[in-house]
Amino acid sequence: MFVCGWPITLLLFRLFGSVTPSPVSTNTPAPRLPSQISPPSPFPSNLPPLPSSLTIPPLTSSPGEPGGRPHCPLTLSPSTLVVRFEDPFMANCSVSEMGFSLLGWEVPLASPSVTMDRFLVWRVDKMTEWNFTSTCYALSEQGGQCQINLPVTVYKPPDRVSISFVDHSGPMFEGRHYTLQCEVQDVAPVQNLTVTFYRGHTALGQLQSNDTERTPVTKIFTVDIMPSKEDDGVQYWCEAKLELGPEGPQHPPVETSQKLNATVLFGPHLICPTKLQVREGESVIFEVRGNPQPSVTWFRDGQAVALPTNSSRKHAGKYTVWTKGLGQKNFTVEVEVLENSGTTNSCNIFFLLAVLFIQTINRL
């Protein structure tokens, strides 16, 4: 056995004997504890850096944005959504270019599932929100996404519109200042509201609110007036209209108030001119108006007289009209009696013209 193992011993000697021995340190460090052993790195540390051409596309917004941002090929229909509160609605978002793998809506109500199609409809059975953001987005196959916001206006016509005077009731006096107020209850959005005051069919002025509240509010609008005698018997009222733009309803929501009948108190005044011409045989007619209706007494040469019903030359001259109503007032009138032929400025004509004028004013 010894003899047979000799050649193996010689072979091992030749192999290890050719290696230069190195000194062995007597201070050999102890092996590290398991807690000191670092786990192997999950990724090689000597990989080459990523090429500079691998970039992530930035997030983009609505199409055609300034500032050099990439084009976002999303289209909304409608481009602006105007919907009445608690009404159903739908909006479509579509992508016009290839290279987008997913299309979706980010909305608070009935958000539809993302799709790989070229369009996606957002459909809601009942609008129950007042103020929110709605966004359509598309994911690019190159990474990143683009998006577009859908402007939404949720509106509600007013529950009631009413008109009244501020700190006043009963008749008004000619020449004094008064304030009309129009109260619009529970309307949204109030910044889209236009209130118009009317005197008959004549607009007195339009008012708007700069309040940006989007939920229903009650708002009061006022206008100052100074009535005249021509305003006696007219009607004041106001109209509230929601101006919602071209995307809104074809006929904008309009609510009107009740009619407020005006009574204006004014002193006596003459309808006829102070120089009057009548023909012989005609009646002398003078119209004195006032509210309340004044009492009228005619004087000639200091004596109370009745106006002639069959005029003659002897009835020509100056007359004094003494009136008493809302105050007292006197007028002097000169009467000229002409022959049966010729043109006159009879008070009958002036009276009819005045009545027609007042009626026309009240219709406006």
Side-chain angles (χ1 to χ4, degrees):
M1 182 176 180
F2 176 78
V3 176
C4 293
W6 180 247
I8 296 176
T9 303
L10 290 177
L11 178 60
L12 291 176
F13 181 78
R14 291 181 63 87
L15 288 174
F16 286 97
S18 63
V19 179
T20 305
S22 58
V24 178
S25 173
T26 59
N27 296 325
T28 304
R32 288 188 292 179
L33 296 175
S35 60
Q36 296 174 312
I37 301 176
S38 302
S41 175
F43 300 103
S45 59
N46 57 348
L47 288 179
L50 289 173
S52 59
S53 61
L54 292 179
T55 57
I56 298 176
L59 180 67
T60 61
S61 295
S62 56
E65 266 197 358
R69 287 189 175 184
H71 174 64
C72 186
L74 293 178
T75 303
L76 296 175
S77 178
S79 58
T80 299
L81 179 63
V82 179
V83 58
R84 183 168 177 160
F85 188 70
E86 294 188 339
D87 273 5
F89 68 90
M90 59 185 299
N92 180 56
C93 180
S94 59
V95 59
S96 59
E97 297 179 7
M98 303 297 291
F100 291 87
S101 57
L102 288 178
L103 191 63
W105 280 97
E106 186 177 343
V107 289
L109 292 172
S111 180
S113 301
V114 295
T115 181
M116 298 180 66
D117 294 334
R118 302 286 295 278
F119 69 92
L120 182 59
V121 176
W122 175 34
R123 182 180 289 104
V124 176
D125 295 331
K126 186 177 182 180
M127 172 59 78
T128 58
E129 298 286 338
W130 291 104
N131 189 12
F132 60 90
T133 301
S134 55
T135 303
C136 176
Y137 62 89
L139 297 182
S140 171
E141 293 177 356
Q142 303 299 323
Q145 73 177 39
C146 72
Q147 67 182 33
I148 183 172
N149 293 331
L150 174 64
V152 178
T153 298
V154 182
Y155 72 91
K156 175 187 174 297
D159 290 340
R160 184 172 180 267
V161 178
S162 61
I163 190 171
S164 60
F165 285 101
V166 177
D167 299 329
H168 176 77
S169 61
M172 297 181 289
F173 289 88
E174 180 183 31
R176 295 188 184 179
H177 291 276
Y178 299 89
T179 300
L180 285 169
Q181 67 177 13
C182 184
E183 183 176 5
V184 185
Q185 297 181 1
D186 292 328
V187 63
V190 69
Q191 64 181 352
N192 292 79
L193 184 68
T194 299
V195 171
T196 306
F197 286 86
Y198 287 92
R199 173 192 175 277
H201 296 289
T202 303
L204 298 177
Q206 289 186 334
L207 298 173
Q208 292 179 314
S209 173
N210 55 7
D211 192 343
T212 59
E213 179 61 48
R214 301 182 70 88
T215 59
V217 296
T218 296
K219 209 73 175 176
I220 295 178
F221 302 82
T222 61
V223 65
D224 294 329
I225 61 171
M226 187 172 67
S228 65
K229 61 179 68 70
E230 287 79 15
D231 295 325
D232 184 37
V234 302
Q235 292 182 323
Y236 293 102
W237 54 287
C238 61
E239 173 188 86
K241 178 188 292 187
L242 278 173
E243 305 281 1
L244 299 168
E247 299 291 348
Q250 184 177 2
H251 300 288
V254 177
E255 297 290 337
T256 59
S257 71
Q258 82 282 12
K259 302 293 193 300
L260 191 63
N261 295 316
T263 299
V264 180
L265 303 180
F266 56 94
H269 73 283
L270 282 176
I271 297 297
C272 302
T274 55
K275 294 191 77 172
L276 183 66
Q277 294 176 332
V278 296
R279 294 190 185 95
E280 290 181 335
E282 290 183 344
S283 299
V284 176
I285 299 176
F286 276 92
E287 176 70 15
V288 179
R289 290 191 63 218
N291 190 11
Q293 183 64 33
S295 61
V296 179
T297 305
W298 289 89
F299 291 88
R300 186 183 184 191
D301 299 330
Q303 300 292 322
V305 297
L307 291 178
T309 58
N310 187 12
S311 301
S312 64
R313 293 293 183 92
K314 68 177 182 179
H315 294 124
K318 291 186 178 181
Y319 292 79
T320 299
V321 188
W322 185 86
T323 64
K324 184 177 181 181
L326 187 64
Q328 298 181 2
K329 202 168 186 179
N330 296 333
F331 305 94
T332 300
V333 179
E334 184 177 351
V335 177
E336 182 181 0
V337 180
L338 304 177
E339 295 181 357
N340 288 331
S341 61
T343 303
T344 66
N345 62 343
S346 171
C347 188
N348 291 336
I349 298 175
F350 284 95
F351 176 70
L352 292 175
L353 290 176
V355 170
L356 290 174
F357 175 74
I358 293 173
Q359 289 178 347
T360 302
I361 288 292
N362 290 339
R363 290 194 190 101
L364 295 178

PDB file of all heavy atoms in Angstrom, residues 141-163:
ATOM      1  N   GLU A 141     -48.790  55.717 -25.813  1.00  0.00           N
ATOM      2  CA  GLU A 141     -48.011  54.481 -25.890  1.00  0.00           C
ATOM      3  C   GLU A 141     -46.528  54.740 -25.640  1.00  0.00           C
ATOM      4  O   GLU A 141     -45.768  53.813 -25.348  1.00  0.00           O
ATOM      5  CB  GLU A 141     -48.218  53.850 -27.267  1.00  0.00           C
ATOM      6  CG  GLU A 141     -49.642  53.362 -27.496  1.00  0.00           C
ATOM      7  CD  GLU A 141     -49.843  52.808 -28.890  1.00  0.00           C
ATOM      8  OE1 GLU A 141     -48.872  52.883 -29.688  1.00  0.00           O
ATOM      9  OE2 GLU A 141     -50.939  52.312 -29.199  1.00  0.00           O
ATOM     10  N   GLN A 142     -46.112  55.986 -25.745  1.00  0.00           N
ATOM     11  CA  GLN A 142     -44.726  56.354 -25.483  1.00  0.00           C
ATOM     12  C   GLN A 142     -44.497  56.696 -24.011  1.00  0.00           C
ATOM     13  O   GLN A 142     -43.384  57.031 -23.622  1.00  0.00           O
ATOM     14  CB  GLN A 142     -44.338  57.564 -26.350  1.00  0.00           C
ATOM     15  CG  GLN A 142     -44.534  57.357 -27.836  1.00  0.00           C
ATOM     16  CD  GLN A 142     -43.684  56.224 -28.364  1.00  0.00           C
ATOM     17  OE1 GLN A 142     -42.542  56.046 -27.921  1.00  0.00           O
ATOM     18  NE2 GLN A 142     -44.235  55.433 -29.281  1.00  0.00           N
ATOM     19  N   GLY A 143     -45.563  56.626 -23.212  1.00  0.00           N
ATOM     20  CA  GLY A 143     -45.454  57.003 -21.811  1.00  0.00           C
ATOM     21  C   GLY A 143     -46.015  58.393 -21.590  1.00  0.00           C
ATOM     22  O   GLY A 143     -46.021  59.231 -22.489  1.00  0.00           O
ATOM     23  N   GLY A 144     -46.496  58.673 -20.401  1.00  0.00           N
ATOM     24  CA  GLY A 144     -47.096  59.972 -20.108  1.00  0.00           C
ATOM     25  C   GLY A 144     -48.547  60.026 -20.558  1.00  0.00           C
ATOM     26  O   GLY A 144     -49.119  59.041 -21.027  1.00  0.00           O
ATOM     27  N   GLN A 145     -49.142  61.195 -20.432  1.00  0.00           N
ATOM     28  CA  GLN A 145     -50.539  61.351 -20.812  1.00  0.00           C
ATOM     29  C   GLN A 145     -50.810  62.796 -21.180  1.00  0.00           C
ATOM     30  O   GLN A 145     -50.034  63.697 -20.861  1.00  0.00           O
ATOM     31  CB  GLN A 145     -51.467  60.931 -19.670  1.00  0.00           C
ATOM     32  CG  GLN A 145     -51.505  61.922 -18.500  1.00  0.00           C
ATOM     33  CD  GLN A 145     -52.486  61.512 -17.441  1.00  0.00           C
ATOM     34  OE1 GLN A 145     -52.604  60.334 -17.130  1.00  0.00           O
ATOM     35  NE2 GLN A 145     -53.204  62.453 -16.866  1.00  0.00           N
ATOM     36  N   CYS A 146     -51.928  63.010 -21.882  1.00  0.00           N
ATOM     37  CA  CYS A 146     -52.416  64.359 -22.111  1.00  0.00           C
ATOM     38  C   CYS A 146     -53.844  64.415 -21.599  1.00  0.00           C
ATOM     39  O   CYS A 146     -54.517  63.384 -21.449  1.00  0.00           O
ATOM     40  CB  CYS A 146     -52.330  64.755 -23.584  1.00  0.00           C
ATOM     41  SG  CYS A 146     -53.520  63.942 -24.664  1.00  0.00           S
ATOM     42  N   GLN A 147     -54.330  65.632 -21.323  1.00  0.00           N
ATOM     43  CA  GLN A 147     -55.656  65.762 -20.739  1.00  0.00           C
ATOM     44  C   GLN A 147     -56.284  67.069 -21.187  1.00  0.00           C
ATOM     45  O   GLN A 147     -55.611  67.999 -21.620  1.00  0.00           O
ATOM     46  CB  GLN A 147     -55.594  65.714 -19.221  1.00  0.00           C
ATOM     47  CG  GLN A 147     -54.877  66.910 -18.596  1.00  0.00           C
ATOM     48  CD  GLN A 147     -54.784  66.793 -17.088  1.00  0.00           C
ATOM     49  OE1 GLN A 147     -54.661  65.695 -16.549  1.00  0.00           O
ATOM     50  NE2 GLN A 147     -54.835  67.919 -16.400  1.00  0.00           N
ATOM     51  N   ILE A 148     -57.624  67.135 -21.056  1.00  0.00           N
ATOM     52  CA  ILE A 148     -58.370  68.338 -21.394  1.00  0.00           C
ATOM     53  C   ILE A 148     -59.522  68.459 -20.409  1.00  0.00           C
ATOM     54  O   ILE A 148     -60.167  67.459 -20.059  1.00  0.00           O
ATOM     55  CB  ILE A 148     -58.882  68.278 -22.856  1.00  0.00           C
ATOM     56  CG1 ILE A 148     -59.592  69.579 -23.229  1.00  0.00           C
ATOM     57  CG2 ILE A 148     -59.780  67.089 -23.090  1.00  0.00           C
ATOM     58  CD1 ILE A 148     -59.941  69.670 -24.707  1.00  0.00           C
ATOM     59  N   ASN A 149     -59.758  69.671 -19.920  1.00  0.00           N
ATOM     60  CA  ASN A 149     -60.814  69.914 -18.946  1.00  0.00           C
ATOM     61  C   ASN A 149     -62.106  70.317 -19.644  1.00  0.00           C
ATOM     62  O   ASN A 149     -62.081  71.069 -20.632  1.00  0.00           O
ATOM     63  CB  ASN A 149     -60.406  71.019 -17.967  1.00  0.00           C
ATOM     64  CG  ASN A 149     -59.254  70.595 -17.076  1.00  0.00           C
ATOM     65  OD1 ASN A 149     -59.095  69.409 -16.770  1.00  0.00           O
ATOM     66  ND2 ASN A 149     -58.446  71.554 -16.660  1.00  0.00           N
ATOM     67  N   LEU A 150     -63.214  69.834 -19.126  1.00  0.00           N
ATOM     68  CA  LEU A 150     -64.538  70.181 -19.648  1.00  0.00           C
ATOM     69  C   LEU A 150     -65.158  71.214 -18.710  1.00  0.00           C
ATOM     70  O   LEU A 150     -65.499  70.904 -17.575  1.00  0.00           O
ATOM     71  CB  LEU A 150     -65.428  68.940 -19.723  1.00  0.00           C
ATOM     72  CG  LEU A 150     -66.888  69.180 -20.110  1.00  0.00           C
ATOM     73  CD1 LEU A 150     -66.988  69.745 -21.529  1.00  0.00           C
ATOM     74  CD2 LEU A 150     -67.700  67.895 -19.978  1.00  0.00           C
ATOM     75  N   PRO A 151     -65.324  72.476 -19.177  1.00  0.00           N
ATOM     76  CA  PRO A 151     -66.015  73.462 -18.332  1.00  0.00           C
ATOM     77  C   PRO A 151     -67.475  73.069 -18.142  1.00  0.00           C
ATOM     78  O   PRO A 151     -68.173  72.742 -19.098  1.00  0.00           O
ATOM     79  CB  PRO A 151     -65.888  74.766 -19.138  1.00  0.00           C
ATOM     80  CG  PRO A 151     -64.780  74.521 -20.118  1.00  0.00           C
ATOM     81  CD  PRO A 151     -64.829  73.060 -20.433  1.00  0.00           C
ATOM     82  N   VAL A 152     -67.932  73.105 -16.898  1.00  0.00           N
ATOM     83  CA  VAL A 152     -69.295  72.682 -16.567  1.00  0.00           C
ATOM     84  C   VAL A 152     -70.005  73.822 -15.824  1.00  0.00           C
ATOM     85  O   VAL A 152     -69.464  74.384 -14.868  1.00  0.00           O
ATOM     86  CB  VAL A 152     -69.301  71.416 -15.694  1.00  0.00           C
ATOM     87  CG1 VAL A 152     -70.739  71.022 -15.334  1.00  0.00           C
ATOM     88  CG2 VAL A 152     -68.604  70.268 -16.410  1.00  0.00           C
ATOM     89  N   THR A 153     -71.210  74.159 -16.301  1.00  0.00           N
ATOM     90  CA  THR A 153     -72.074  75.127 -15.620  1.00  0.00           C
ATOM     91  C   THR A 153     -73.365  74.422 -15.233  1.00  0.00           C
ATOM     92  O   THR A 153     -74.095  73.927 -16.097  1.00  0.00           O
ATOM     93  CB  THR A 153     -72.396  76.331 -16.521  1.00  0.00           C
ATOM     94  OG1 THR A 153     -71.185  77.011 -16.854  1.00  0.00           O
ATOM     95  CG2 THR A 153     -73.332  77.297 -15.813  1.00  0.00           C
ATOM     96  N   VAL A 154     -73.608  74.348 -13.934  1.00  0.00           N
ATOM     97  CA  VAL A 154     -74.843  73.753 -13.421  1.00  0.00           C
ATOM     98  C   VAL A 154     -75.753  74.906 -12.999  1.00  0.00           C
ATOM     99  O   VAL A 154     -75.368  75.743 -12.186  1.00  0.00           O
ATOM    100  CB  VAL A 154     -74.573  72.819 -12.239  1.00  0.00           C
ATOM    101  CG1 VAL A 154     -75.873  72.174 -11.760  1.00  0.00           C
ATOM    102  CG2 VAL A 154     -73.549  71.756 -12.619  1.00  0.00           C
ATOM    103  N   TYR A 155     -76.950  74.957 -13.581  1.00  0.00           N
ATOM    104  CA  TYR A 155     -77.827  76.096 -13.306  1.00  0.00           C
ATOM    105  C   TYR A 155     -79.156  75.658 -12.708  1.00  0.00           C
ATOM    106  O   TYR A 155     -79.567  74.504 -12.822  1.00  0.00           O
ATOM    107  CB  TYR A 155     -78.067  76.912 -14.583  1.00  0.00           C
ATOM    108  CG  TYR A 155     -78.972  76.254 -15.610  1.00  0.00           C
ATOM    109  CD1 TYR A 155     -80.352  76.478 -15.607  1.00  0.00           C
ATOM    110  CD2 TYR A 155     -78.457  75.411 -16.593  1.00  0.00           C
ATOM    111  CE1 TYR A 155     -81.175  75.882 -16.540  1.00  0.00           C
ATOM    112  CE2 TYR A 155     -79.272  74.810 -17.538  1.00  0.00           C
ATOM    113  CZ  TYR A 155     -80.632  75.065 -17.501  1.00  0.00           C
ATOM    114  OH  TYR A 155     -81.456  74.471 -18.424  1.00  0.00           O
ATOM    115  N   LYS A 156     -79.810  76.626 -12.081  1.00  0.00           N
ATOM    116  CA  LYS A 156     -81.135  76.412 -11.508  1.00  0.00           C
ATOM    117  C   LYS A 156     -81.917  77.718 -11.608  1.00  0.00           C
ATOM    118  O   LYS A 156     -81.489  78.744 -11.074  1.00  0.00           O
ATOM    119  CB  LYS A 156     -81.024  75.981 -10.050  1.00  0.00           C
ATOM    120  CG  LYS A 156     -82.373  75.853  -9.347  1.00  0.00           C
ATOM    121  CD  LYS A 156     -82.176  75.590  -7.865  1.00  0.00           C
ATOM    122  CE  LYS A 156     -83.509  75.611  -7.124  1.00  0.00           C
ATOM    123  NZ  LYS A 156     -84.163  76.951  -7.206  1.00  0.00           N
ATOM    124  N   PRO A 157     -83.060  77.737 -12.311  1.00  0.00           N
ATOM    125  CA  PRO A 157     -83.881  78.952 -12.367  1.00  0.00           C
ATOM    126  C   PRO A 157     -84.382  79.317 -10.968  1.00  0.00           C
ATOM    127  O   PRO A 157     -84.489  78.461 -10.083  1.00  0.00           O
ATOM    128  CB  PRO A 157     -85.039  78.564 -13.295  1.00  0.00           C
ATOM    129  CG  PRO A 157     -84.526  77.398 -14.083  1.00  0.00           C
ATOM    130  CD  PRO A 157     -83.604  76.669 -13.156  1.00  0.00           C
ATOM    131  N   PRO A 158     -84.683  80.595 -10.750  1.00  0.00           N
ATOM    132  CA  PRO A 158     -85.134  81.009  -9.410  1.00  0.00           C
ATOM    133  C   PRO A 158     -86.482  80.403  -9.052  1.00  0.00           C
ATOM    134  O   PRO A 158     -87.331  80.158  -9.905  1.00  0.00           O
ATOM    135  CB  PRO A 158     -85.219  82.537  -9.528  1.00  0.00           C
ATOM    136  CG  PRO A 158     -85.332  82.812 -10.985  1.00  0.00           C
ATOM    137  CD  PRO A 158     -84.578  81.723 -11.682  1.00  0.00           C
ATOM    138  N   ASP A 159     -86.666  80.161  -7.760  1.00  0.00           N
ATOM    139  CA  ASP A 159     -87.948  79.666  -7.271  1.00  0.00           C
ATOM    140  C   ASP A 159     -89.027  80.742  -7.353  1.00  0.00           C
ATOM    141  O   ASP A 159     -90.189  80.456  -7.645  1.00  0.00           O
ATOM    142  CB  ASP A 159     -87.829  79.195  -5.821  1.00  0.00           C
ATOM    143  CG  ASP A 159     -87.014  77.918  -5.699  1.00  0.00           C
ATOM    144  OD1 ASP A 159     -86.870  77.213  -6.717  1.00  0.00           O
ATOM    145  OD2 ASP A 159     -86.514  77.635  -4.597  1.00  0.00           O
ATOM    146  N   ARG A 160     -88.613  81.995  -7.138  1.00  0.00           N
ATOM    147  CA  ARG A 160     -89.592  83.085  -7.116  1.00  0.00           C
ATOM    148  C   ARG A 160     -88.883  84.410  -7.370  1.00  0.00           C
ATOM    149  O   ARG A 160     -87.749  84.612  -6.936  1.00  0.00           O
ATOM    150  CB  ARG A 160     -90.317  83.119  -5.760  1.00  0.00           C
ATOM    151  CG  ARG A 160     -91.436  84.152  -5.652  1.00  0.00           C
ATOM    152  CD  ARG A 160     -92.214  83.952  -4.351  1.00  0.00           C
ATOM    153  NE  ARG A 160     -93.291  84.921  -4.212  1.00  0.00           N
ATOM    154  CZ  ARG A 160     -93.186  86.084  -3.568  1.00  0.00           C
ATOM    155  NH1 ARG A 160     -92.033  86.407  -2.973  1.00  0.00           N
ATOM    156  NH2 ARG A 160     -94.204  86.918  -3.485  1.00  0.00           N
ATOM    157  N   VAL A 161     -89.588  85.300  -8.076  1.00  0.00           N
ATOM    158  CA  VAL A 161     -89.103  86.660  -8.319  1.00  0.00           C
ATOM    159  C   VAL A 161     -90.203  87.619  -7.879  1.00  0.00           C
ATOM    160  O   VAL A 161     -91.359  87.487  -8.300  1.00  0.00           O
ATOM    161  CB  VAL A 161     -88.750  86.885  -9.801  1.00  0.00           C
ATOM    162  CG1 VAL A 161     -88.296  88.328 -10.034  1.00  0.00           C
ATOM    163  CG2 VAL A 161     -87.676  85.908 -10.253  1.00  0.00           C
ATOM    164  N   SER A 162     -89.863  88.581  -7.039  1.00  0.00           N
ATOM    165  CA  SER A 162     -90.869  89.518  -6.524  1.00  0.00           C
ATOM    166  C   SER A 162     -90.316  90.942  -6.543  1.00  0.00           C
ATOM    167  O   SER A 162     -89.099  91.153  -6.467  1.00  0.00           O
ATOM    168  CB  SER A 162     -91.293  89.138  -5.105  1.00  0.00           C
ATOM    169  OG  SER A 162     -90.174  89.182  -4.228  1.00  0.00           O
ATOM    170  N   ILE A 163     -91.220  91.916  -6.644  1.00  0.00           N
ATOM    171  CA  ILE A 163     -90.833  93.328  -6.657  1.00  0.00           C
ATOM    172  C   ILE A 163     -91.589  94.062  -5.570  1.00  0.00           C
ATOM    173  O   ILE A 163     -92.748  93.728  -5.259  1.00  0.00           O
ATOM    174  CB  ILE A 163     -91.101  93.963  -8.043  1.00  0.00           C
ATOM    175  CG1 ILE A 163     -90.472  95.359  -8.124  1.00  0.00           C
ATOM    176  CG2 ILE A 163     -92.593  94.007  -8.353  1.00  0.00           C
ATOM    177  CD1 ILE A 163     -90.498  95.954  -9.517  1.00  0.00           C
TER     178      ILE A 163
END
